[in-house]
Amino acid sequence: MAKPLAERLTAARRAVFVGRAREQKRFAEILSGAEAPGVLWLHGPGGVGKSTLLREWAATACELKFPVSLLDGRNIEPSPAAFLGVLTGALNLPVSDGATHAIILESIGQYFAAKPKRVVILVDTVEFLAPLEAWWREEFLPLLPENVFLVLAGRNAPDAAWNADAGWRELVHVQALRNLEDTDTADYLKRRSVPVAQHNAILQFTHGHPLALSLVADVFAQRKANGGADISLQFTPEDAPEVVRTLLNQLVEGEPSAERRAALEACALVRLTTEDLLAVLLDEDAHKAFAWLRSLSFIETGRQGLFPHDMAREVLLADLRWRNPGQHRLLHKRARDFYSARFQKSGTQEQQHILMDYVFLHRHNPMVRPFLDWRENNTLVSGPMRAEETKEILAMVKAHEGKESAALAQSWLTAQPQNVIVIRDPQGKLAAFMAMVSLPQASANDIARDPATKAAYDYLQSHAPLRSGEESTMLRFWMARDSYQDISPAQSLIFVNAVRHNLTTPNLAFTFFSCAAPEFWAPLFNYASSLHLTDVDFNVGGRDYGVYGHDWRALPAMEWLDLLGEREVTSATQYNAAVTPPLDVLTREVFFDAVRDALRDWHRPDDLRRNPLLRTRLVVNRAGRSASDDERVTALQSLIREACETMRGAKREGKFLRALYHSYIKPAPTQERAAEAMNVPFSTYRRHLKSGLDSVADYLWKREIGG
């Protein structure tokens, strides 16, 4: 005899049910009497699996012969009469016409009390029954016998009135339902016959969200039904806009207004949303939008701001990038500008958080995503090394790199302890460390003793000589206690601290970044415009290490951040560290000569366009990276005028300015005539002219070096 359709439907659903071991265990304990029933309030965002879990619980209760009723709030009018009518119908409890609420409640209580076992009532989508909550607390629930186990499931946690009452606070057990664990996700995809090669990409999009997993599995089922020609194509949410649309409809009930949709998209883009950041992203007052975001079931509140559940974030961004890429670029730019401005005004610890926010903007780039751990790193804290931690750090180096490396580490920790940053876990235990070496501050003996710093120093001498006052550092040692240089929250925080060092170190000209697996990190460093300097690769204790380098004079820090931001919102998937047109890094002597040439060629634009100053940081910062040669000439002339203005008003320097003016700005026919115009001897004029040239060049040189 064929099974009834309802039985077959239940069997099909249970065949793909996975996970929820903790919830299943608790339900079984309540059924068995190990835990008092009371009320279990299950809440979570749309599509997270509340209805699926309730159906599984109902099937389990039926198998164990417990009386069970499963109600759906969407099908019940939110009134006591309608609720009681649906409940008595589910219980097959006859009710006489004209019976009052009190009589019906008494009949239900007697019905339940007569049952020898637990009685299970499951009510789904209780958000539709919110007007009944006060009635439930005050009239319905107090009359139920203690053998009744009531489960209320919905998007929202119970309102504050439940917790305010001391009695209900003890009897209502609140449980948030989250996404599936990674192992359960893999189990589900296998049951749905999704190719294993696709699992990682699907997990990155769904984060274990059950409805998202089901919809993506449907996509592959459809591909297979169509002949399977595209079954091996890597899944991306942009390729399945209908999946994204369905998930959006589940997350946000009803079509949000344009203003609310913009707030959702902004919140999805950034790591943490505060009201002031939201105002910048929306370019308007954000108080109402922030309050609305805070009310949504898939938005969580942390110590530093709001953030959406992982899958909600992925869906919102996938829809934005597919539907309105221009808006995505605009929001991205506004967020970067906000973080850059905050970074300049912040202290060390806040800068670390801001950089984590900035790095988070790059999480979708295929060159960045695999190399950073995107989990919250707030449990790890970085700070300066304590003297008592030296022994533990050296033991860490010895364990991961050997005794030769440990001996070198000891010398650098002793010579430059101020350049060591340690990362500690919440218990204050050492989790990782990084040790920078300042090459200009190191002694010649210390540099020569270490193959790494010797190679870096030699490279600077031959390829990128430092100018007076410039700094160069090498990230000589970095590792996590348990995972060395593998991807981890500690490794990600080390990288964030390295970026902060690059952005905040005065007069930083060149940095070296050493690593044990240079080929592994190549995509990330290429994305970040750092070159693999094979001349600086070194060997210690029989182990090879690679070194990446960046000349901050050629690509300054803030322009570097802008470059990475633009790369994030483009569709490129390969980057060459050397593609960015570099700035010219001139020695002091060449720079001074170029200033003299610029003054000499003041009225010859064709010659000015060939002046090497046009490719220096000084001029490019003024004119902009995308400026034309003519715009750079104009910028150079304005800078020279500013330098000249510094001499105006001073009796001695004023003579120098007059010499420059009569020689270059409004030149006399000859230098002799210029001396006559100044009413000074020719030798004095020549001396004043040289002093003026030196003064202008020195002013501009200091601007070039200091940024």
Side-chain angles (χ1 to χ4, degrees):
M1 182 177 178
K3 292 182 179 180
L5 185 59
E7 189 175 336
R8 292 167 58 195
L9 182 62
T10 299
R13 287 170 172 168
R14 302 192 76 185
V16 292
F17 181 86
V18 298
R20 307 304 189 196
R22 184 166 62 101
E23 291 82 359
Q24 292 280 68
K25 180 181 178 183
R26 186 171 192 184
F27 185 78
E29 288 174 345
I30 294 175
L31 285 184
S32 67
E35 183 178 336
V39 178
L40 177 60
W41 194 299
L42 191 71
H43 69 93
V48 80
K50 301 181 296 294
S51 298
T52 300
L53 182 59
L54 258 60
R55 285 196 297 265
E56 179 66 18
W57 281 351
T60 299
C62 285
E63 284 181 350
L64 299 175
K65 308 300 183 186
F66 286 94
V68 58
S69 298
L70 176 57
L71 312 180
D72 191 333
R74 288 172 296 189
N75 303 322
I76 305 173
E77 180 187 334
S79 68
F83 180 81
L84 291 174
V86 171
L87 179 59
T88 54
L91 299 174
N92 292 318
L93 184 63
V95 177
S96 59
D97 293 338
T100 64
H101 288 179
I103 293 174
I104 296 174
L105 285 172
E106 184 179 359
S107 299
I108 291 174
Q110 292 172 351
Y111 172 84
F112 287 145
K115 299 295 182 183
K117 304 177 72 172
R118 291 266 190 263
V119 178
V120 182
I121 303 176
L122 308 168
V123 185
D124 199 5
T125 57
V126 293
E127 61 267 24
F128 287 91
L129 302 176
L132 293 180
E133 289 192 36
W135 177 74
W136 280 342
R137 285 193 304 270
E138 296 165 10
E139 296 187 45
F140 176 64
L141 295 178
L143 293 178
L144 297 181
E146 63 178 9
N147 66 325
V148 175
F149 175 27
L150 177 64
V151 178
L152 302 174
R155 293 184 176 224
N156 307 312
D159 65 36
W162 294 90
N163 194 55
D165 186 300
W168 285 120
R169 190 164 57 241
E170 294 297 320
L171 295 177
V172 176
H173 308 285
V174 181
Q175 185 164 345
L177 195 63
R178 300 304 186 196
N179 293 350
L180 297 173
E181 300 291 338
D182 291 356
T183 53
D184 297 327
T185 296
D187 185 13
Y188 176 83
L189 293 175
K190 288 177 183 177
R191 296 189 188 197
R192 292 292 307 272
S193 302
V194 175
V196 174
Q198 300 283 354
H199 288 191
N200 187 53
I202 295 171
L203 177 60
Q204 288 184 359
F205 169 63
T206 65
H207 295 275
H209 186 272
L211 178 59
L213 286 169
S214 176
L215 293 173
V216 173
D218 289 343
V219 169
F220 282 92
Q222 186 63 42
R223 288 182 181 181
K224 189 174 182 180
N226 291 336
D230 54 356
I231 197 75
S232 62
L233 294 178
Q234 189 77 358
F235 173 81
T236 64
E238 289 78 8
D239 294 334
E242 287 305 306
V243 169
V244 172
R245 184 179 64 82
T246 301
L247 291 171
L248 275 176
N249 291 339
Q250 274 288 324
L251 290 170
V252 187
E253 293 181 293
E255 181 66 24
S257 65
E259 294 77 12
R260 287 183 170 182
R261 178 178 286 276
L264 279 171
E265 293 165 349
C267 184
L269 177 69
V270 298
R271 186 173 73 99
L272 295 164
T273 300
T274 57
E275 191 170 321
D276 57 344
L277 172 56
L278 189 62
V280 170
L281 296 178
L282 302 182
D283 194 25
E284 62 184 30
D285 180 76
H287 181 72
K288 290 183 179 179
F290 188 82
W292 176 72
L293 287 174
R294 201 172 182 178
S295 71
L296 298 176
S297 63
F298 59 89
I299 301 291
E300 296 196 17
T301 302
R303 289 186 297 110
Q304 297 174 314
L306 306 178
F307 58 95
H309 289 181
D310 291 334
M311 193 282 303
R313 188 193 294 278
E314 299 292 342
V315 167
L316 288 163
L317 281 183
D319 179 67
L320 175 62
R321 292 195 303 267
W322 172 79
R323 179 178 49 79
N324 194 344
Q327 176 69 0
H328 177 247
R329 286 193 292 271
L330 177 62
L331 289 175
H332 204 280
K333 180 67 165 60
R334 287 176 176 174
R336 299 195 317 260
D337 290 345
F338 177 87
Y339 295 141
S340 295
R342 283 291 177 92
F343 184 86
Q344 305 294 335
K345 304 173 184 177
S346 302
T348 300
Q349 200 60 43
E350 188 179 355
Q351 284 179 341
Q352 177 178 305
H353 291 302
I354 293 171
L355 284 176
M356 289 169 64
D357 292 334
Y358 205 108
V359 170
F360 190 79
L361 292 175
H362 299 268
R363 68 195 180 281
H364 285 107
N365 192 289
M367 297 297 105
V368 176
R369 185 163 192 152
F371 297 102
L372 294 173
D373 190 307
W374 299 104
R375 291 172 290 178
E376 289 295 316
N377 292 320
N378 291 340
T379 57
L380 297 176
V381 178
S382 58
M385 178 184 67
R386 301 169 186 151
E388 62 270 19
E389 292 172 321
T390 302
K391 185 176 180 180
E392 188 175 354
I393 289 174
L394 295 177
M396 193 186 304
V397 177
K398 184 177 180 181
H400 289 297
E401 296 188 354
K403 62 181 181 180
E404 292 87 349
S405 274
L408 294 171
Q410 183 172 20
S411 66
W412 288 121
L413 266 59
T414 302
Q416 298 186 9
Q418 74 279 7
N419 292 331
V420 182
I421 295 175
V422 299
I423 295 172
R424 304 180 183 92
D425 63 19
Q427 290 72 44
K429 188 176 180 181
L430 186 68
F433 87 99
M434 57 187 293
M436 309 289 296
V437 172
S438 168
L439 295 173
Q441 296 175 22
S443 70
N445 287 338
D446 285 342
I447 288 176
R449 186 183 303 118
D450 186 346
T453 52
K454 183 180 185 306
Y457 181 82
D458 290 345
Y459 180 89
L460 287 178
Q461 296 298 100
S462 59
H463 293 84
L466 297 183
R467 302 174 296 190
S468 175
E470 290 184 332
E471 175 66 275
S472 176
T473 58
M474 183 177 206
L475 181 48
R476 178 61 184 88
F477 296 95
W478 63 277
M479 62 191 69
R481 179 188 61 220
D482 301 323
S483 55
Y484 186 44
Q485 294 182 358
D486 291 342
I487 296 168
S488 69
Q491 161 265 332
S492 298
L493 192 51
I494 287 172
F495 280 26
V496 166
N497 274 285
V499 172
R500 183 173 63 81
H501 170 84
N502 297 339
L503 297 180
T504 60
T505 301
N507 300 327
L508 185 62
F510 207 101
T511 52
F512 299 91
F513 195 114
S514 64
C515 51
E519 297 307 318
F520 172 79
W521 297 107
L524 180 63
F525 281 107
N526 286 337
Y527 175 84
S529 287
S530 292
L531 292 168
H532 184 186
L533 307 177
T534 55
D535 291 346
V536 191
D537 290 350
F538 61 95
N539 182 289
V540 172
R543 297 182 60 179
D544 292 326
Y545 299 85
V547 178
Y548 287 87
H550 184 98
D551 192 330
W552 297 100
R553 302 164 298 188
L555 182 59
M558 299 316 294
E559 291 186 35
W560 175 76
L561 283 178
D562 286 340
L563 171 68
L564 297 192
E566 289 305 313
R567 285 181 168 181
E568 174 59 27
V569 294
T570 63
S571 58
T573 57
Q574 296 293 329
Y575 302 94
N576 185 332
V579 296
T580 305
L583 302 181
D584 281 354
V585 181
L586 308 181
T587 64
R588 187 178 187 277
E589 292 72 17
V590 173
F591 187 95
F592 273 51
D593 288 343
V595 172
R596 296 186 185 100
D597 290 343
L599 282 163
R600 184 197 63 206
D601 299 331
W602 190 265
H603 295 288
R604 294 193 288 271
D606 289 343
D607 291 332
L608 273 176
R609 291 189 192 98
R610 293 191 291 271
N611 192 293
L613 291 175
L614 266 60
R615 296 181 299 279
T616 61
R617 174 170 61 177
L618 175 75
V619 173
V620 171
N621 279 358
R622 172 63 62 91
R625 272 274 177 177
S626 59
S628 66
D629 285 347
D630 287 343
E631 290 170 326
R632 293 190 184 192
V633 166
T634 301
L636 174 58
Q637 290 177 323
S638 72
L639 286 163
I640 290 176
R641 287 194 186 96
E642 289 176 12
C644 291
E645 285 298 314
T646 63
M647 293 183 278
R648 188 182 297 278
K651 183 176 180 180
R652 181 168 176 269
E653 285 77 10
K655 300 174 183 178
F656 305 159
L657 177 59
R658 290 181 62 206
L660 293 172
Y661 179 83
H662 288 294
S663 300
Y664 302 118
I665 309 302
K666 195 170 183 180
T670 65
Q671 288 193 340
E672 288 78 5
R673 295 286 295 275
E676 291 176 11
M678 292 177 61
N679 196 26
V680 296
F682 184 70
S683 60
T684 301
Y685 156 78
R686 293 294 300 272
R687 189 169 64 253
H688 287 177
L689 180 60
K690 181 180 185 304
S691 296
L693 286 168
D694 289 344
S695 181
V696 169
D698 186 62
Y699 172 87
L700 295 177
W701 174 250
K702 289 176 180 175
R703 293 278 298 272
E704 167 74 3
I705 293 297

